[in-house]
């Protein structure tokens, strides 16, 4: 009812082990293959880490999910488009309150995947609850 909530665009609190892929709250790229490859690599890393830890479930912490949603719902390069777009799921039925379908990482796809690589390299699984 209040829009999609994720951490890094992949995991949502209350839905352990459910990985989202696609356009929502990630790094939007015109090359869909590039975008999905980056997402698949990140998900594979999380699953590998879960296996190493003999974990059965993973989901974001409430704080990490809230911080991510705040970041991706700030105005971006898509904001002007969404302001004039016909009301629909792209812009929250014309409300453009940041809860529409295309909330994106504000710095673009390349920096999004760089940020994910750095997160993986740190090895802490920060922002996730792994059980």
């Amino acid at each position: 009812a209040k829009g999609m909530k994720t951490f890094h665009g992949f995991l949502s609190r209350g839905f352990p082990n459910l990985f989202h892929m696609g356009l929502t709250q990630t790094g939007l790229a015109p090359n869909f293959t590039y975008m999905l490859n980056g997402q698949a690599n990140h998900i594979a890393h999380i699953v590998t880490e879960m296996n190493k830890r003999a974990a059965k479930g993973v989901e974001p912490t409430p704080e990490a999910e809230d911080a991510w949603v705040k970041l991706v719902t700030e105005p971006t390069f898509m904001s002007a488009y969404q302001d004039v777009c016909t009301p629909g799921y792209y812009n929250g039925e014309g409300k453009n309150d940041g809860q529409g379908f295309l909330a994106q990482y504000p710095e673009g796809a390349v920096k999004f995947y760089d940020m994910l690589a750095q997160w993986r390299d740190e090895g802490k699984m920060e922002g996730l609850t792994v059980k």
Side-chain angles (χ1 to χ4, degrees), residues 4-120:
M4 186 173 191
K5 295 180 181 180
T6 72
F7 177 60
H8 289 162
F10 302 106
L11 290 157
S12 294
R13 185 133 184 94
F15 298 93
N17 303 334
L18 173 66
F19 292 92
H20 307 285
M21 291 184 78
L23 302 172
T24 53
Q25 298 185 355
T26 60
L28 181 63
N31 184 317
F32 211 70
T33 303
Y34 166 79
M35 188 175 71
L36 290 180
N37 184 62
Q39 292 177 17
N41 287 334
H42 190 67
I43 291 169
H45 171 82
I46 293 172
V47 171
T48 299
E49 286 299 314
M50 289 177 59
N51 286 337
K52 286 180 186 175
R53 299 165 193 224
K56 301 290 182 196
V58 63
E59 65 181 307
T61 66
E63 300 80 14
E65 187 178 78
D66 289 346
W68 187 257
V69 170
K70 183 179 180 193
L71 174 68
V72 298
T73 56
E74 293 175 352
T76 68
F77 65 94
M78 289 293 291
S79 299
Y81 164 75
Q82 290 172 329
D83 284 340
V84 297
C85 183
T86 302
Y89 71 104
Y90 290 114
N91 64 5
E93 297 302 332
K95 297 175 194 150
N96 204 16
D97 59 3
Q99 298 300 316
F101 180 71
L102 286 179
Q104 296 297 317
Y105 186 70
E107 296 184 51
V110 173
K111 289 189 178 184
F112 173 72
Y113 294 109
D114 288 346
M115 178 275 302
L116 290 180
Q118 181 179 351
W119 182 91
R120 291 190 301 266

Side-chain angles (χ1 to χ4, degrees), residues 118-130:
Q118 181 179 351
W119 182 91
R120 291 190 301 266
D121 289 346
E122 289 171 1
K124 300 176 189 174
M125 301 280 281
E126 189 173 344
L128 298 179
T129 301
V130 181

